[in-house]
Amino acid sequence: MNTNRILATIASLGVLSGCISLGSEPPEQLLTLTPSAIIPAGAAAEGEVAAALAVQVPNVTQRLNVTRVPVITSDSSLAYLEEAVWVEKPAQLFRNVLAETIRAKGNRLVVGAGELEYVARTQLAGQLVDMGYDATTGSVVVRYDAVLRGDDGTVRTRRFEETISGVLPEAVPVGAALNEAANTVADQVAEWVG
C-alpha cells in the first residue's frame, strides 16, 4: 500500500469520527433504592424451606421496564425525567428493598433468587404499578399490588401506595423521594405478611 493511500484512509476516518457517535455521555450518577431496614451482620435465620417466604420480582408495564424514571405529564402522556437513570430496572430494585425489609422486620425465613425460591410454599408476588414522578402534582408515587399465596393455598391481595408531594422535577430529589416512598411501601408490606 502506498503512503498516499494510507494517509487518505486515516484522513477519511478522522472525518467520519465527527459524524459517528459510539455512545451517549454516561449520566453523572445513577439512582438506586436502598432499604432503610437492614439485617445486622451476623444475623442468621433457619427453618424449613417449604415454610419460607419467597419474594418474587414484581411484574411491571413497559413504561417501568426500563432504567429511566417515568414522568406523567398529563392524563394521556408520559415522558422520562432528564438525567435520572436507575442502576438497574426498578422492579428488581424494589424487590431487593422488599425482601430486605421483610427479613429485617419480620419473623420469616425469606428466600429468593435461586432454586429455594421455587420450593417455598409461601410466595409474595404482584405488580409494581407505578414508581415515578407526576409533573401535574409535583409528587412521586410508588404503587404496588401485592399477591400473597399462603402455604395452605389461600391467596390474599392488597394495594400499597405512598405519595410524596413537593418534589422538584430533578434527578436527585426525585430519586431520594422514590427511595423514601419505596421504603414506606416495603414497611407496609412487611407488616402485612408478618
Side-chain angles (χ1 to χ4, degrees), residues 61-90:
T61 60
Q62 189 57 39
R63 71 187 179 105
L64 289 177
N65 197 25
V66 295
T67 57
R68 305 292 308 275
V69 176
V71 176
I72 296 170
T73 56
S74 75
D75 288 343
S76 61
S77 62
L78 176 75
Y80 287 98
L81 189 62
E82 190 175 336
E83 297 180 16
V85 181
W86 293 110
V87 69
E88 62 184 314
K89 290 183 179 178

Side-chain angles (χ1 to χ4, degrees), residues 55-133:
V55 179
Q56 305 289 332
V57 174
N59 295 322
V60 293
T61 60
Q62 189 57 39
R63 71 187 179 105
L64 289 177
N65 197 25
V66 295
T67 57
R68 305 292 308 275
V69 176
V71 176
I72 296 170
T73 56
S74 75
D75 288 343
S76 61
S77 62
L78 176 75
Y80 287 98
L81 189 62
E82 190 175 336
E83 297 180 16
V85 181
W86 293 110
V87 69
E88 62 184 314
K89 290 183 179 178
Q92 183 64 50
L93 292 171
F94 182 73
R95 182 250 171 240
N96 296 344
V97 167
L98 198 54
E100 183 70 13
T101 302
I102 293 169
R103 277 188 198 105
K105 295 198 167 207
N107 298 318
R108 289 183 171 267
L109 174 62
V110 178
V111 296
E115 293 173 11
L116 294 178
E117 177 179 6
Y118 299 104
V119 296
R121 287 192 202 136
T122 305
Q123 301 275 328
L124 176 62
Q127 181 170 358
L128 184 59
V129 178
D130 203 355
M131 193 163 90
Y133 183 75

